[in-house]
């Protein structure tokens, strides 16, 4: 005969599996009127604990000893951001305000492109004079 703790843990794991699936992490795509699609992204954390024990009844056979057990689970879903998919680009919009350092890193590619265009424009103007 199988020990009751196995059934307890099996039931707990099945319930957790029902609570968390891939659609919890990467949400359903949401089409917008402007041709973009928004995909929510979340961070999912979960944990569980199960335990139990046999009561010591020396006069009973091993399989008939009373068993006491319990289990518990917790789930946390935290939004991380959104993927915005348009015809030729994908952008990530964070769900929380980025720090100044993160904003600077995110703006760096556009800043470099603007400087490059400015320098090319100046070179073109200098050659025309």
């Amino acid at each position: 005969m199988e020990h009751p703790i196995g059934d307890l843990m099996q039931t707990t794991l099945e319930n957790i599996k029902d609570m968390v699936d891939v659609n919890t992490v990467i949400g359903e795509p949401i089409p917008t009127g402007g041709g973009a699609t928004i995909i929510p992204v979340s961070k999912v954390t979960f944990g569980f604990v199960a335990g139990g024990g046999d009561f010591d009844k020396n006069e009973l056979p091993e399989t008939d000893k009373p068993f006491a057990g319990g289990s518990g689970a917790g789930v946390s879903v935290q939004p991380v951001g959104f993927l915005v998919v348009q015809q030729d680009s994908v952008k990530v919009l964070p769900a929380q305000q980025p720090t100044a350092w993160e904003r600077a890193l995110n703006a760096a590619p556009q800043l470099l492109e603007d400087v490059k265009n400015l320098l090319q424009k100046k070179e073109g103007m200098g050659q025309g004079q």
Side-chain angles (χ1 to χ4, degrees):
M1 182 171 142
E2 189 176 318
H3 197 277
I5 192 75
D7 291 336
L8 179 67
M9 291 187 70
Q10 182 67 33
T11 301
T12 303
L13 289 173
E14 286 173 5
N15 287 328
I16 289 174
K17 192 168 98 174
D18 289 342
M19 288 189 300
V20 180
D21 67 1
V22 71
N23 291 325
T24 307
V25 177
I26 304 295
E28 292 290 324
I30 303 164
T32 66
T37 301
I38 299 171
I39 304 170
V41 180
S42 300
K43 173 183 173 183
V44 178
T45 307
F46 67 96
F48 79 98
V49 63
D54 294 319
F55 289 103
D56 189 20
K57 297 277 187 182
N58 291 333
E59 66 275 1
L60 295 174
E62 187 68 32
T63 57
D64 292 336
K65 289 187 177 184
F67 173 78
S71 66
V75 177
S76 169
V77 179
Q78 180 180 15
V80 174
F82 302 91
L83 295 175
V84 180
V85 182
Q86 292 180 321
Q87 290 177 353
D88 59 347
S89 69
V90 177
K91 293 182 181 178
V92 177
L93 297 176
Q96 299 178 10
Q97 288 292 348
T99 64
W101 178 248
E102 289 171 322
R103 285 194 303 267
L105 284 176
N106 289 337
Q110 184 62 45
L111 180 62
L112 291 174
E113 187 67 28
D114 291 346
V115 169
K116 177 182 160 187
N117 290 339
L118 183 63
L119 292 174
Q120 287 175 346
K121 191 174 181 182
K122 280 189 175 186
E123 284 178 10
M125 291 175 69
Q127 293 173 357
Q129 290 180 346

